[in-house]
Amino acid sequence: KKELKKNKNSRIKARDAIVAATRSLDEVKTEISLLERKRDRNGEKTGLDAIETKKLERLQKELRIVSAESVKRKALLEQAQAERDKELLDAQKTVAGVHKLNESKYSLVERYASVYYDERMNPFGAPEPGKPKLYYADTEGKTTTMDSRKAVVP
């Protein structure tokens, strides 16, 4: 009997883990509302049968599981975002970090085709704060465009 109970508990834990991983909060809430609506409509006559009552109880348990899991996910996402922000701030404090950020931000064509490009002062062609990204649209450097796909290196 102990082994049967142990197996049952392990099956329940496995089912709960699957529910936590796959079901969404809205999905469970809609199923619960459908069953509750059906129960309220048939309330005076019959209510829900035994199978539907068990399903409603299971859905309520799933709702608790999924809501707890969503809180955990939200906390993990916030923690990961905080770590990314901290890494970004740390990278911005060093010259090498800023250089690496700019390399990832601006492609080679964008760098050299930028109106703001200067080999020594602005090697990434980054615009000044508040200015839009502008690129040369012709090889003579007379016309400009904001579309990086139409950019031409003069």
Side-chain angles (χ1 to χ4, degrees):
K1 287 188 173 190
K2 286 184 180 180
E3 193 170 327
L4 288 174
K5 192 170 189 176
K6 184 179 169 185
N7 289 341
K8 182 179 179 183
N9 287 338
S10 66
R11 285 193 313 270
I12 289 172
K13 286 180 183 177
R15 188 183 320 133
D16 290 348
I18 290 171
V19 164
T22 59
R23 300 286 297 257
S24 71
L25 202 59
D26 294 332
E27 187 179 318
V28 176
K29 282 182 179 180
T30 55
E31 286 188 39
I32 288 174
S33 65
L34 287 173
L35 281 175
E36 286 177 342
R37 205 173 318 137
K38 185 175 181 181
R39 180 189 62 199
D40 293 342
R41 261 190 267 134
N42 298 338
E44 296 172 8
K45 301 173 189 169
T46 57
L48 296 175
D49 60 4
I51 296 171
E52 290 174 333
T53 304
K54 283 187 178 184
K55 185 175 181 181
L56 183 61
E57 290 172 1
R58 177 67 192 164
L59 286 171
Q60 289 169 343
K61 182 179 178 184
E62 285 181 10
L63 181 64
R64 286 191 299 273
I65 292 167
V66 170
S67 62
E69 188 66 27
S70 69
V71 169
K72 287 179 188 175
R73 280 190 203 134
K74 195 174 196 180
L76 285 174
L77 285 174
E78 288 174 356
Q79 182 181 3
Q81 183 66 35
E83 288 176 10
R84 280 192 299 257
D85 291 345
K86 186 178 182 286
E87 288 174 5
L88 182 66
L89 287 175
D90 290 345
Q92 289 175 348
K93 290 179 182 176
T94 63
V95 173
V98 171
H99 191 74
K100 188 176 179 183
L101 283 173
N102 282 333
E103 279 182 355
S104 66
K105 198 173 183 180
Y106 300 104
S107 70
L108 281 175
V109 173
E110 285 181 331
R111 291 180 202 178
Y112 295 114
S114 174
V115 172
Y116 308 104
Y117 174 77
D118 184 294
E119 190 173 323
R120 293 185 62 197
M121 299 298 289
N122 192 359
F124 295 104
E128 299 172 18
K131 298 269 184 161
K133 288 184 178 181
L134 287 176
Y135 306 99
Y136 291 113
D138 61 355
T139 53
E140 291 87 39
K142 293 181 180 177
T143 58
T144 60
T145 180
M146 293 179 81
D147 189 1
S148 63
R149 294 173 296 194
K150 296 178 182 176
V152 176
V153 177

